[in-house]
Amino acid sequence: MILSDGLLRMLDKQEQEAVVHHEMFHYQQRDPLITFLLGQFALALWFLPILKNITLHYKISREILADSYAVHRLGTPVGLGGALLKLIHRQHSRSPQPFRMIYSSFAETSLNYRIHRIIEPDQEKSLRLPVWPVLLSLVVLTALSILLLWSLI
């Protein structure tokens, strides 16, 4: 886990703790490795678009779980919420990045879900797989299965 000087200077003590707990969850659960492997499967099996969606849903669910872990460890969502807001503001500002660059990939996919969970932690918001990638993947798998069975005959 690497935290830049720029990030540490930007966040207060409680926000730093929230970020560390969040990242420790990812580390303990081996999320970077699993995300990498899912991404590689999605690239290798590009003809099954459902794999790309599964990878995206995995990333979102793991971010939400890491947030929940950080909130549970701190006992309050204040630090995590403050860190997210500062990172959003920093990402959308037009000012040039300082020498020690601050980077966060959280906004790529899961920001709305994460904010919703911080504001209303007891209300479930389910992620749904899109219909067309599921159907297309089923058609491709069916065709591949037929071709495989035909080749064995």
Side-chain angles (χ1 to χ4, degrees):
M1 179 175 15
I2 298 172
L3 301 174
S4 70
D5 290 342
L7 177 66
L8 293 174
R9 278 197 304 266
M10 185 174 69
L11 303 176
D12 67 28
K13 182 73 172 158
Q14 189 176 27
E15 293 163 347
Q16 289 174 7
E17 285 183 48
V19 169
V20 168
H21 287 302
H22 175 97
E23 294 305 328
M24 282 302 296
F25 178 86
H26 287 309
Y27 171 75
Q28 292 166 351
Q29 301 297 313
R30 294 186 170 89
D31 287 340
L33 174 63
I34 296 168
T35 300
F36 172 76
L37 292 174
L38 283 172
Q40 294 306 304
F41 282 121
L43 283 173
L45 303 173
W46 56 268
F47 49 87
L48 297 174
I50 191 63
L51 293 178
K52 185 176 180 181
N53 294 100
I54 289 171
T55 301
L56 177 67
H57 281 69
Y58 178 82
K59 288 179 184 179
I60 293 170
S61 65
R62 300 312 288 181
E63 288 299 318
I64 291 170
L65 288 172
D67 288 347
S68 296
Y69 177 79
V71 168
H72 174 75
R73 296 287 297 185
L74 292 174
T76 177
V78 173
L80 181 66
L84 281 173
L85 288 174
K86 286 180 180 176
L87 288 167
I88 291 167
H89 179 354
R90 181 70 180 164
Q91 188 167 340
H92 292 296
S93 70
R94 298 284 182 201
S95 62
Q97 296 290 329
F99 178 72
R100 293 185 179 111
M101 193 166 136
I102 299 168
Y103 173 75
S104 174
S105 64
F106 73 88
E108 292 173 4
T109 56
S110 60
L111 185 59
N112 289 337
Y113 292 107
R114 292 174 73 185
I115 291 172
H116 182 266
R117 291 286 297 186
I118 290 171
I119 294 171
E120 297 185 39
D122 296 330
Q123 187 178 11
E124 292 296 322
K125 188 173 185 178
S126 63
L127 301 173
R128 294 190 179 103
L129 290 174
V131 175
W132 288 112
V134 171
L135 291 176
L136 181 59
S137 295
L138 286 174
V139 168
V140 169
L141 282 174
T142 302
L144 289 173
S145 298
I146 291 169
L147 288 172
L148 176 67
L149 289 174
W150 191 356
S151 71
L152 295 175
I153 295 177

